Amino acid sequence: MEKEPGPDAVFAAKLAEGVFEIQKCGSCGTHVFHPRVICPACGSANLEWVTPSGKATVYARTVVRRKPERGGDYNVVLVDLEEGVRMMSRVDGVAHDEIAAGLKVIASIGEGADGQSAVVFRPEGGAG
Amino acid sequence: MSLRGKAAIVGAALAGCGEAHGKSAMEITVEAVQGALADAGVSLCDVDAIATCQPLDMLSGLTLAQELGLNPRFAMNNRMGGSSFLSHTLWAATLLELRLADTVLIAYGSNQRTASGKLMTALGLPTYEAPYRPMFPLSSYALAADRHMTQFGTTREQLADVAVAARAWAQKNPEAFVRNPLTREDVIASRRVSDPLRLRDCCLVTDGGGALVMRRAETAKDHPRPPVYLLGGGEGTTHRDISEMPDLTVTGAVQSGAAAMEMAGVRPSDIDVVELYDAFTINVILFLEDLGFCRKGEGGAFVESGGIAPGGHLPVNTNGGGLSCVHPGMYGIFTLVEAVRQLRGEAGDRQIDSAELALAHGNGGVLSSQVTNILGTEATL
């Protein structure tokens, strides 16, 4: 009986310990996110965990508009990691209206909506 | 083997559009079925295959069979969001052509407005998006709009003009839910929801249902109303979650449109009337580009200043669309019903002169599933 946890559980466990890793295909070299059982580029199950550089570029951004009494505005972005994978996240440490496609950002571990560990980003060089 | 012209829509109807107080989604669906069967002159007992998709009922194909008292040869329940019904027509044509069924019923209904006042969905946020609280599904479309504006210079005004055109069409449609005047300035002044999208960039939240009856072309003329033939169809699926969409400015409509037009043997310039799933204003711009009505990046200019409004260069969403006519959550079937009405010449004040070829296009998920149907009158066979 297979007892190894699946890639979602492995990712979540690493993240809970403050470690952000993505997968890389040992067969074709493609980086993979979100975590998967097989490589979406070549179908290989030979996926290994690697540490990304954390460098990324904002691809698109939206600001969800909420009244202050409901928690106020917040941003949601799609970022492209240097390794070539895209993920949804949030950019902290800068005004929402200053976030735009092309902004260079760096990953860190922050808090998600329910207080769980989540990968978030800040502008490169600590701007804002 | 091609499905071109092998099957036809011989009955079509709407039910419960706007507000259907005190009715369940399935009750609205069954009312639409009654209307479509009457329109087709077909009795319920002749229906031997059904297809549906409902807001919350995961086994709605079975529920519909039960409610109708049918024991169908096929109960289809394939579910890709709002595009589902444009896929159902392709499967219906396939079953008819293979003589696995003789009369196929496609139906939908939702009571989301009177039951909940907002989008009713069985879907939750995806695992890798939930921590960031995107509005579902609105923020996904907002991200696509933001990217389109960044990459091609599409403007806030151009997005607004899509909503303004929809409203102008709705004003010609007595069945449309919202018909008061709407200007570009009104759209741009409406409440910000998820930038760059504002309230008037978003589809309505209404109740409503629709149903279609399909039969083989050889018997399609045995019915009271002129048949509307399915000339071509195609699907494109690029992702499930917006964070997995390869390019937020290019949808699967590139694939679905090309497949549908190849099967039909038509080009975009041949199409007389276009019905697109306009969940948000950006959808229309993306789909016009991806279906080949203009080049990539030029959708904003195409819709600007009344380009798709009454009197413009291409009639798009002649019923008022999801933005101004009806949007019960999965709008796809309404693109088909409006296309049928246009091709039968039943569209009243909004009728497009000599409409022979129509394109209906459905969107499902968050720009995830794209399905295109090309429909035509007998003259196009």
Side-chain angles (χ1 to χ4, degrees), chain A residues 1-111:
Chain A
M1 182 77 79
E2 179 67 64
K3 299 278 191 183
E4 292 294 308
D8 277 339
V10 171
F11 178 84
K14 287 175 187 286
L15 197 61
E17 290 172 8
V19 175
F20 171 37
E21 290 184 354
I22 63 173
Q23 292 169 300
K24 183 178 183 183
C25 178
S27 299
C28 75
T30 302
H31 285 88
V32 176
F33 187 84
H34 62 275
R36 284 174 170 85
V37 173
I38 62 171
C39 170
C42 76
S44 167
N46 183 19
L47 294 174
E48 37 200 61
W49 292 98
V50 298
T51 304
S53 73
K55 291 183 177 178
T57 304
V58 173
Y59 175 73
R61 82 79 152 116
T62 183
V63 180
V64 176
R65 299 294 176 177
R66 285 280 154 83
K67 291 177 181 163
E69 60 268 29
R70 292 185 59 211
D73 299 344
Y74 57 93
N75 71 77
V76 178
V77 296
L78 295 177
V79 298
D80 289 334
L81 298 190
E82 197 173 56
E83 289 77 13
V85 297
R86 181 172 299 156
M87 62 186 296
M88 183 171 281
S89 189
R90 159 182 104 223
V91 180
D92 292 339
V94 60
H96 301 311
D97 289 328
E98 289 174 31
I99 304 164
L103 181 70
K104 302 288 185 194
V105 292
I106 294 275
S108 62
I109 309 291
E111 262 191 19

Side-chain angles (χ1 to χ4, degrees), chain B residues 144 170 176 186-187 267 304 307:
Chain B
D186 294 335
V187 180
R267 293 170 302 176
E304 193 165 357

